[in-house]
DNA sequence: TTGTAGGCGTTATCAC
DNA sequence: GTGATAACGCCTACAA
């Protein structure tokens, strides 16, 4: 498509040495005013841009942070990525984003790919424990890794407090008058679901209330919310407060309850999770929890930067609180 | 953090020459079985991964495609990006994803960044004509660029057919009994909005119906839909069919109409656009149009690949049809 | 089947 | 203030 312009071309055109061109660009030593102008003009005219590869051949630093993420169309992923991008502004590092999809979810391959690009750190952004498959590599990885969203053993993790979210949901629903609680969960293999359930159960127990044995596990969507609620209200007709593992489920639950003639929130209170874009405007606005996703991304970057710059690695968990957004679906 | 392992280290450990290591890895010449095993073992033990930078120093090919995108939390962006990722599977190319945010939306800077990484092609994924600022650079860019989603002059563009979407919306609403149409638009500066409006207006005109002069421009959200509808029904009480520029607006419109005592769709029909995740489950399921976002991403990649591999560049527009999803909000 | 040597574009070191 | 030169890690002729 075109012959790449090198520093030699610029040097020749400006009538100077390549070294001078280099120093004009990254100012590591003084350059005469007139020379500098000649060089800059030549660069402009030739459309020269230094080759990143060649630059990185010398020194170690690549100035790149890699991000290995699940499906980018998932809200939790793209929110975190956005936070990462924000954390990156300043130009010290740039982001090499890699989705599992590109590698057929072969994590090892994706990891090696990032390594081959000499990334100085990796942000791991997933919702499933797929790291297990290549656990060994991670443990003695020569590249610092921060796991955002998943609590990953032996790895620095930035995670949302799903447990406390569940706990607060119970507390809130109790305050709104709930005495016969129930929970409709999402996929059983998700840590987020398990933690929300644990927190909810704990507070329910403390309040001397009881929960149905069935936790109504299922997919994270509207249809599951609807059908699970149908079953729940048949099996436990006295239920007057439902904690749903996310807002899609909550939306389905509310629709089902209304169809069955229950008043929400007067007869049955509903709380969701994740604060989806529709939750605020649902026909009964949904009480929910907002996860600090962007903050998590930013924190992940800042931890990684610190490790890279200091060389000090210290396995730790950083837990960020979720925030309850009380709305009509649970009002006393 | 660690001394990088080079091909020399592997060669030494395996007791062979660096060339043999190289050829073991990319199989461009036969390697003895025993030698191969020694080499592979050494690689394994040392955790060696070839340096991408060094590999790409020789030949021109970097094997990287760059993607310059707007805010990744926007559905249209992340759907397209996902399509791109799918189009990339096969391993011929990998994706360097760069968000405008990282560069403070300085497109020129982002472009140079990609260029410095020797990307072989760029996918441009935006919704605003910000390319104008650096139009010149793009026109004689040495790197092939494909614009996905935006119809960009003098550039290969893969775009959704918003015009026909609007046209079909009018057709559909007419078939459902609409005789007094109206449209509630989104942001006036968006091409998508303008095209949807043009298509809708055209069909309305052909049907010998009339549209209010006011097109109710505003933000792409629920609140705008609600308040615009309030105003619309006051100014044009006979309105019996509303085409909303997207589903958020449609949701607000439906809520407003219901609150004001109108029956949807019996008295007023509503059609949205974009098929958001809630549209199917809204209390009146929303008739909408599904954009072929992932397909657009895949097509963008495939065009770019072709250009890169053949060297033949031919400015063209590829227009992909949107698909109507008839639901209750517009039923006759 | 394997080894040796030169070159890719840049920057750091040394000399002027 | 500026120029020559070696070195980075890999690939690929060419030689053996």
């Amino acid at each position: 498509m075109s012959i790449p312009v090198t520093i030699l071309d610029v040097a020749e055109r400006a009538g100077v040495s390549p070294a001078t061109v280099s120093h004009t660009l990254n100012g590591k030593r003084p350059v005469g005013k007139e020379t500098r102008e000649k060089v800059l003009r030549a660069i402009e005219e030739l459309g020269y841009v230094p080759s990143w590869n060649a630059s990185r051949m010398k020194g170690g630093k690549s100035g790149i942070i890699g991000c290995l993420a699940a499906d980018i169309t998932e809200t939790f992923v793209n929110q975190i990525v956005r936070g990462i991008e924000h954390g990156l502004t300043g130009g010290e590092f740039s982001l090499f984003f890699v989705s599992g999809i590109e590698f057929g979810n072969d994590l090892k391959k994706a990891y090696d790919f990032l390594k081959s690009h000499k990334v100085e750190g990796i942000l791991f952004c997933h919702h499933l424990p797929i790291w297990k498959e290549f656990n060994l590599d991670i443990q003695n990885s020569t590249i610092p890794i921060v796991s955002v969203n998943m609590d990953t053993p032996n790895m620095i993790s930035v995670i949302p407090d799903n447990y406390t979210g569940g706990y607060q949901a119970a507390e809130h629903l109790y305050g709104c008058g709930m005495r016969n609680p129930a929970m409709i969960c999402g996929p059983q293999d998700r840590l987020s679901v398990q933690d929300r359930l644990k927190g909810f159960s704990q507070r329910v127990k403390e309040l001397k209330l009881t929960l149905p044995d069935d936790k109504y596990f299922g997919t994270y969507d509207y249809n599951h919310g609807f059908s699970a609620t149908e079953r729940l209200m048949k099996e436990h007709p006295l239920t007057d407060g439902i904690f749903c593992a996310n807002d899609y489920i909550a939306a389905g639950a509310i629709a089902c309850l209304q169809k069955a003639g229950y008043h929400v929130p007067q007869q049955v209170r509903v709380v969701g999770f994740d604060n989806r874009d529709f939750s605020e405007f649902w026909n009964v606005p949904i009480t929910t929890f907002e996860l600090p996703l962007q903050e998590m991304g930013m924190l992940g970057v800042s931890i990684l930067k610190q490790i890279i710059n200091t060389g000090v690695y210290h396995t730790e968990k950083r837990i960020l609180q979720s925030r309850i957004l009380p709305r009509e679906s649970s009002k006393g």
Side-chain angles (χ1 to χ4, degrees), chain A:
Chain A
M1 207 87 196
S2 74
I3 311 101
V5 181
T6 79
I7 201 169
L8 290 164
D9 301 322
V10 177
E12 191 187 7
R13 182 165 190 125
V16 298
S17 78
T20 303
V21 177
S22 175
H23 288 116
T24 305
L25 241 29
N26 42 36
K28 297 212 175 179
R29 85 181 184 194
V31 176
K33 193 178 170 186
E34 208 171 314
T35 317
R36 141 175 258 95
E37 274 168 15
K38 270 191 302 184
V39 172
L40 290 176
R41 195 161 347 107
I43 288 175
E44 179 84 16
E45 286 164 4
L46 266 44
Y48 167 72
V49 174
S51 155
W52 192 275
N53 291 334
S55 305
R56 298 309 143 189
M57 285 286 296
K58 291 287 298 188
K61 314 266 139 241
S62 71
I64 302 181
I65 284 178
C67 174
L68 203 51
D71 184 357
I72 190 73
T73 62
E74 288 269 359
T75 303
F76 86 88
V77 175
N78 59 50
Q79 291 284 338
I80 290 174
V81 170
R82 186 166 205 237
I84 291 172
E85 288 166 353
H86 267 112
L88 245 32
T89 52
E92 190 188 357
F93 292 100
S94 9
L95 187 69
F96 205 145
F97 177 83
V98 168
S99 162
I101 295 174
E102 292 168 58
F103 294 90
N105 286 315
D106 183 341
L107 217 57
K108 169 79 175 129
K109 225 158 127 190
Y111 173 80
D112 279 350
F113 178 75
L114 288 176
K115 195 171 167 189
S116 78
H117 277 275
K118 296 245 181 311
V119 299
E120 299 186 48
I122 296 180
L123 288 157
F124 194 62
C125 175
H126 265 270
H127 58 290
L128 288 175
I130 56 173
W131 80 89
K132 276 181 179 160
E133 301 159 18
F134 78 134
N135 197 8
L136 272 172
D137 287 287
I138 275 191
Q139 294 237 27
N140 38 17
S141 166
T142 55
I143 306 171
I145 303 179
V146 172
S147 170
V148 183
N149 191 59
M150 272 294 298
D151 185 355
T152 307
N154 305 314
M155 202 187 287
I156 299 180
S157 307
V158 177
I159 46 180
D161 193 346
N162 285 302
Y163 178 88
T164 304
Y167 191 95
Q168 288 177 349
E171 182 69 20
H172 171 79
L173 280 165
Y174 184 76
C176 293
M178 170 188 78
R179 292 303 175 265
N180 294 293
M183 175 159 180
I184 300 178
C185 287
Q188 190 157 15
D189 59 354
R190 301 255 191 140
L191 226 56
S192 59
V193 171
Q194 290 167 26
D195 288 344
R196 288 166 198 183
L197 172 59
K198 271 184 213 156
F200 190 71
S201 302
Q202 174 60 29
R203 187 57 189 152
V204 163
K205 200 171 137 196
E206 289 173 6
L207 291 165
K208 313 247 186 276
L209 304 177
T210 56
L211 220 48
D213 289 337
D214 193 339
K215 300 305 181 293
Y216 302 92
F217 290 103
T219 48
Y220 250 155
D221 63 25
Y222 178 95
N223 288 325
H224 168 56
F226 196 100
S227 60
T229 303
E230 231 168 3
R231 206 149 55 73
L232 167 66
M233 296 313 287
K234 192 148 62 180
E235 293 166 3
H236 304 274
L238 295 178
T239 299
D240 59 2
I242 307 175
F243 175 42
C244 301
N246 81 351
D247 285 355
Y248 290 110
I249 294 175
I254 291 173
C256 174
L257 289 167
Q258 290 176 329
K259 199 184 162 202
Y262 293 96
H263 288 275
V264 177
Q266 294 83 353
Q267 292 171 273
V268 184
R269 295 135 197 94
V270 176
V271 168
F273 220 102
D274 288 350
N275 193 30
R276 295 282 163 175
D277 51 13
F278 62 81
S279 305
E280 186 178 358
F281 305 113
W282 199 251
N283 74 38
V284 179
I286 303 171
T287 296
T288 188
F289 286 82
E290 189 179 47
L291 291 170
L293 296 169
Q294 295 203 22
E295 287 84 341
M296 283 160 52
M298 292 184 67
L299 181 57
V301 172
S302 106
I303 292 176
L304 208 45
K305 275 185 177 172
Q306 203 183 348
I307 296 171
I308 292 168
N309 290 328
T310 65
V312 184
Y313 194 105
H314 174 61
T315 302
E316 57 171 336
K317 307 290 169 195
R318 294 289 285 272
I319 302 174
L320 300 193
Q321 292 305 311
S322 49
R323 196 163 63 90
I324 188 169
L325 301 173
R327 301 207 182 104
E328 218 180 299
S329 72
S330 63
K331 269 204 183 119

PDB file of all heavy atoms in Angstrom, chain A residues 91-102:
ATOM      1  N   GLY A  91      -1.575   9.175  29.367  1.00  0.00           N
ATOM      2  CA  GLY A  91      -0.677   8.788  28.280  1.00  0.00           C
ATOM      3  C   GLY A  91       0.500   7.945  28.703  1.00  0.00           C
ATOM      4  O   GLY A  91       1.253   7.468  27.858  1.00  0.00           O
ATOM      5  N   GLU A  92       0.639   7.714  30.002  1.00  0.00           N
ATOM      6  CA  GLU A  92       1.778   6.898  30.428  1.00  0.00           C
ATOM      7  C   GLU A  92       1.687   5.499  29.818  1.00  0.00           C
ATOM      8  O   GLU A  92       2.669   4.925  29.382  1.00  0.00           O
ATOM      9  CB  GLU A  92       1.810   6.815  31.956  1.00  0.00           C
ATOM     10  CG  GLU A  92       3.076   6.208  32.501  1.00  0.00           C
ATOM     11  CD  GLU A  92       2.973   5.980  34.015  1.00  0.00           C
ATOM     12  OE1 GLU A  92       1.924   6.352  34.612  1.00  0.00           O
ATOM     13  OE2 GLU A  92       3.909   5.448  34.590  1.00  0.00           O
ATOM     14  N   PHE A  93       0.471   4.977  29.802  1.00  0.00           N
ATOM     15  CA  PHE A  93       0.255   3.648  29.232  1.00  0.00           C
ATOM     16  C   PHE A  93      -0.886   3.668  28.220  1.00  0.00           C
ATOM     17  O   PHE A  93      -1.791   4.491  28.315  1.00  0.00           O
ATOM     18  CB  PHE A  93      -0.100   2.649  30.332  1.00  0.00           C
ATOM     19  CG  PHE A  93       1.036   2.355  31.265  1.00  0.00           C
ATOM     20  CD1 PHE A  93       1.103   2.982  32.500  1.00  0.00           C
ATOM     21  CD2 PHE A  93       2.035   1.472  30.899  1.00  0.00           C
ATOM     22  CE1 PHE A  93       2.145   2.712  33.365  1.00  0.00           C
ATOM     23  CE2 PHE A  93       3.089   1.205  31.766  1.00  0.00           C
ATOM     24  CZ  PHE A  93       3.145   1.824  32.999  1.00  0.00           C
ATOM     25  N   SER A  94      -0.828   2.744  27.283  1.00  0.00           N
ATOM     26  CA  SER A  94      -1.993   2.550  26.438  1.00  0.00           C
ATOM     27  C   SER A  94      -2.506   1.138  26.618  1.00  0.00           C
ATOM     28  O   SER A  94      -1.843   0.290  27.196  1.00  0.00           O
ATOM     29  CB  SER A  94      -1.676   2.810  24.974  1.00  0.00           C
ATOM     30  OG  SER A  94      -0.314   2.966  24.777  1.00  0.00           O
ATOM     31  N   LEU A  95      -3.689   0.936  26.090  1.00  0.00           N
ATOM     32  CA  LEU A  95      -4.396  -0.304  26.363  1.00  0.00           C
ATOM     33  C   LEU A  95      -4.417  -1.221  25.160  1.00  0.00           C
ATOM     34  O   LEU A  95      -4.739  -0.811  24.051  1.00  0.00           O
ATOM     35  CB  LEU A  95      -5.836   0.017  26.757  1.00  0.00           C
ATOM     36  CG  LEU A  95      -6.672  -1.160  27.237  1.00  0.00           C
ATOM     37  CD1 LEU A  95      -6.163  -1.622  28.578  1.00  0.00           C
ATOM     38  CD2 LEU A  95      -8.129  -0.772  27.319  1.00  0.00           C
ATOM     39  N   PHE A  96      -4.055  -2.451  25.371  1.00  0.00           N
ATOM     40  CA  PHE A  96      -4.224  -3.463  24.341  1.00  0.00           C
ATOM     41  C   PHE A  96      -5.379  -4.334  24.778  1.00  0.00           C
ATOM     42  O   PHE A  96      -5.245  -5.137  25.694  1.00  0.00           O
ATOM     43  CB  PHE A  96      -2.947  -4.283  24.209  1.00  0.00           C
ATOM     44  CG  PHE A  96      -2.787  -4.902  22.861  1.00  0.00           C
ATOM     45  CD1 PHE A  96      -1.547  -5.035  22.279  1.00  0.00           C
ATOM     46  CD2 PHE A  96      -3.887  -5.351  22.155  1.00  0.00           C
ATOM     47  CE1 PHE A  96      -1.392  -5.599  21.027  1.00  0.00           C
ATOM     48  CE2 PHE A  96      -3.739  -5.914  20.907  1.00  0.00           C
ATOM     49  CZ  PHE A  96      -2.498  -6.041  20.332  1.00  0.00           C
ATOM     50  N   PHE A  97      -6.488  -4.159  24.125  1.00  0.00           N
ATOM     51  CA  PHE A  97      -7.689  -4.882  24.524  1.00  0.00           C
ATOM     52  C   PHE A  97      -7.848  -6.165  23.719  1.00  0.00           C
ATOM     53  O   PHE A  97      -7.813  -6.144  22.492  1.00  0.00           O
ATOM     54  CB  PHE A  97      -8.918  -4.006  24.323  1.00  0.00           C
ATOM     55  CG  PHE A  97     -10.185  -4.707  24.657  1.00  0.00           C
ATOM     56  CD1 PHE A  97     -10.617  -4.777  25.965  1.00  0.00           C
ATOM     57  CD2 PHE A  97     -10.936  -5.321  23.672  1.00  0.00           C
ATOM     58  CE1 PHE A  97     -11.777  -5.452  26.281  1.00  0.00           C
ATOM     59  CE2 PHE A  97     -12.098  -5.996  23.983  1.00  0.00           C
ATOM     60  CZ  PHE A  97     -12.520  -6.060  25.290  1.00  0.00           C
ATOM     61  N   VAL A  98      -8.037  -7.249  24.420  1.00  0.00           N
ATOM     62  CA  VAL A  98      -8.192  -8.537  23.766  1.00  0.00           C
ATOM     63  C   VAL A  98      -9.405  -9.249  24.336  1.00  0.00           C
ATOM     64  O   VAL A  98      -9.552  -9.371  25.548  1.00  0.00           O
ATOM     65  CB  VAL A  98      -6.947  -9.407  24.009  1.00  0.00           C
ATOM     66  CG1 VAL A  98      -7.210 -10.826  23.586  1.00  0.00           C
ATOM     67  CG2 VAL A  98      -5.765  -8.849  23.255  1.00  0.00           C
ATOM     68  N   SER A  99     -10.271  -9.671  23.464  1.00  0.00           N
ATOM     69  CA  SER A  99     -11.454 -10.385  23.930  1.00  0.00           C
ATOM     70  C   SER A  99     -11.232 -11.879  23.824  1.00  0.00           C
ATOM     71  O   SER A  99     -10.570 -12.355  22.911  1.00  0.00           O
ATOM     72  CB  SER A  99     -12.647  -9.983  23.085  1.00  0.00           C
ATOM     73  OG  SER A  99     -13.659 -10.941  23.253  1.00  0.00           O
ATOM     74  N   GLY A 100     -11.800 -12.596  24.767  1.00  0.00           N
ATOM     75  CA  GLY A 100     -11.690 -14.043  24.738  1.00  0.00           C
ATOM     76  C   GLY A 100     -12.173 -14.622  23.424  1.00  0.00           C
ATOM     77  O   GLY A 100     -11.635 -15.607  22.922  1.00  0.00           O
ATOM     78  N   ILE A 101     -13.168 -13.987  22.866  1.00  0.00           N
ATOM     79  CA  ILE A 101     -13.774 -14.485  21.636  1.00  0.00           C
ATOM     80  C   ILE A 101     -12.759 -14.688  20.521  1.00  0.00           C
ATOM     81  O   ILE A 101     -12.779 -15.676  19.800  1.00  0.00           O
ATOM     82  CB  ILE A 101     -14.851 -13.500  21.155  1.00  0.00           C
ATOM     83  CG1 ILE A 101     -15.982 -13.466  22.164  1.00  0.00           C
ATOM     84  CG2 ILE A 101     -15.367 -13.893  19.787  1.00  0.00           C
ATOM     85  CD1 ILE A 101     -17.020 -12.420  21.858  1.00  0.00           C
ATOM     86  N   GLU A 102     -11.831 -13.742  20.413  1.00  0.00           N
ATOM     87  CA  GLU A 102     -10.843 -13.818  19.338  1.00  0.00           C
ATOM     88  C   GLU A 102     -10.020 -15.090  19.400  1.00  0.00           C
ATOM     89  O   GLU A 102      -9.492 -15.543  18.398  1.00  0.00           O
ATOM     90  CB  GLU A 102      -9.878 -12.642  19.432  1.00  0.00           C
ATOM     91  CG  GLU A 102     -10.498 -11.307  19.131  1.00  0.00           C
ATOM     92  CD  GLU A 102      -9.552 -10.199  19.529  1.00  0.00           C
ATOM     93  OE1 GLU A 102      -8.432 -10.182  19.026  1.00  0.00           O
ATOM     94  OE2 GLU A 102      -9.932  -9.361  20.376  1.00  0.00           O
TER      95      GLU A 102
END
